[in-house]
Amino acid sequence: MTGNKAVAYKEPGKVELIDIDYPTFELKDGPGVNPANVGRAVPHGVILKTVATNICGSDQHMVRGRTTAPSNLVLGHEITGEVVEVGPGVEFIKVGDICSVPFNISCGRCRNCKERKTGICLNVNPDRPGSAYGYVDMGGWVGGQANYVLVPYADWNLLKFPDKDQALEKILDLAMLSDIFPTGFHGAVTAGVGVGSTVYVAGAGPVGLAAATSAHLLGAAVVIVGDMNADRLAQARSFGCETIDLSKGGPAEQIEQILGVPEVDCGVDAVGFEARGHGHDAKEAPATVLNSLMEITAAGGALGIPGLYVTGDPGGVDESAKKGALSLSLGTGWAKSLSFTTGQCPVMKYNRQLMMAILHDKVSIAKNVNAKAISLEDAPKGYAEFDAGAATKYVLNPNGYLS
């Protein structure tokens, strides 16, 4: 039997490379697996040899101990791989295909999937709508920061790259299609970004940089990125963004210095529930980004909210925050007739179009997010550096496909 190593969450602040079973076409019991999913047959699945699998800010929430993730949960929902086995129910995907895996698992059969709401599939997670690989409370599908991974409903879920050699030439860019590029694009689209828009993106991590890249792709006139991390702000400036340093105070005054008015047409929250307040030595204040976006987005505008918010946060700043209950100035949003879009990005709504933009040199997403390939063995170091604020998107290379 082929060996399989994987990156697992051990305890707050610690991940470790462990040995796990080679995948089979059945969901086995294990850390985080919903009991109702144990024994679930997956004849519609394939086994991938992992080409690239990325470290995500959403993984970091678990690694910091800010969720109820159990020890030994195998991490990784940003997966690109080569098909090495197909289940008996797979018709169109073939051995040897290189494919992008949307991070949200969906069945393609339920009402929500048929309405392109693949982030809230009704059939893959017994607890609630929506699922993902290697994530707490998402059904227990094993993560892809491993040599091999099982992908269910393969004919539906997988985005096959049209030419294998071309794909491998652009693999760092294509690796972003599993999550952050569609997620950032979704944030920009739902914020209403279009030709001539002025856009504020809160957060210069990989999703924020992907949202800023997407805003440019959608024709924005000015894209402003706010953060407290100087290196990440420099990365945003490297591809034409304006930036504001939130350690110096809130965004409105700094936006006015750029645009002449203290507001933008469109706002994107790429931070989520671990947000901090503004100013030097600001403390955690999870509603800060949402409230500031309502203040600086023009009346009648929209907020795209791809940043992650949770219903259970053991490290929350107060009892309300521990349940995901934040003190929002909803009256401001109501008075300004603002629209809000939250939740998982429905990756399949965007990933093919973004793949074509990459393959035909319309966008350089890997460069913009400063993607860097590292070995599976270096994953703990990558997690630590990313958590410390590195302006880098770490891409794990379990099987040597990446140069």
Side-chain angles (χ1 to χ4, degrees), residues 13 15 53 62 136 139 160 235 239 248 259 275 286 290 294 297-298 323-324 351 355 360 398 402:
V15 300
T53 177
M62 290 188 289
V136 61
K160 176 186 171 182
Q235 186 63 32
F239 60 93
K248 297 178 180 178
L259 297 177
L290 293 171
M294 285 189 277
T297 302
K323 297 181 289 186
N351 61 352
M355 175 189 74
H360 295 279
L402 308 180

Side-chain angles (χ1 to χ4, degrees), residues 168-369:
L168 290 174
E169 287 176 6
K170 295 180 177 289
I171 198 64
L172 275 182
D173 291 286
L174 294 170
M176 304 304 141
L177 291 172
S178 57
D179 183 353
I180 67 163
F181 196 10
T183 293
F185 194 83
H186 181 62
V189 167
T190 55
V193 177
V195 174
S197 298
T198 58
V199 185
Y200 175 65
V201 178
V207 170
L209 297 175
T213 299
S214 300
H216 284 308
L217 194 60
L218 289 164
V222 183
V223 180
I224 304 169
V225 179
D227 205 296
M228 298 182 183
N229 183 313
D231 291 338
R232 290 182 174 183
L233 290 174
Q235 186 63 32
R237 288 192 296 273
S238 75
F239 60 93
C241 299
E242 301 285 345
T243 59
I244 59 177
D245 183 352
L246 296 171
S247 68
K248 297 178 180 178
E253 182 179 338
Q254 297 181 70
I255 288 172
E256 186 171 19
Q257 292 172 359
I258 296 169
L259 297 177
V261 292
E263 64 181 21
V264 292
D265 301 323
C266 315
V268 179
D269 174 3
V271 178
F273 74 102
E274 287 192 70
R276 290 190 289 163
H278 302 136
H280 185 61
D281 291 331
K283 305 300 182 185
E284 186 170 317
T288 299
V289 172
L290 293 171
N291 285 332
S292 65
L293 282 173
M294 285 189 277
E295 290 175 8
I296 58 93
T297 302
L303 308 185
I305 310 174
L308 175 66
Y309 289 87
V310 295
T311 56
D313 173 13
V317 294
D318 54 37
E319 290 306 310
S320 293
K322 288 177 181 179
K323 297 181 289 186
L326 309 183
S327 182
L328 295 180
S329 179
L330 191 59
T332 300
W334 191 94
K336 296 177 74 173
S337 294
L338 299 176
S339 301
F340 300 73
T341 302
T342 66
Q344 286 189 33
C345 163
V347 171
M348 293 173 68
K349 191 172 182 178
Y350 309 109
N351 61 352
R352 185 186 179 279
Q353 300 96 304
L354 295 176
M355 175 189 74
M356 296 301 288
I358 289 169
L359 293 178
H360 295 279
D361 300 316
K362 299 301 181 185
V363 66
S364 300
I365 184 65
K367 176 177 177 290
N368 290 3
V369 301

Side-chain angles (χ1 to χ4, degrees), residues 127-142:
D127 279 339
R128 66 185 72 170
S131 188
Y133 303 88
Y135 214 86
V136 61
D137 296 332
M138 288 291 188
W141 300 92
V142 178

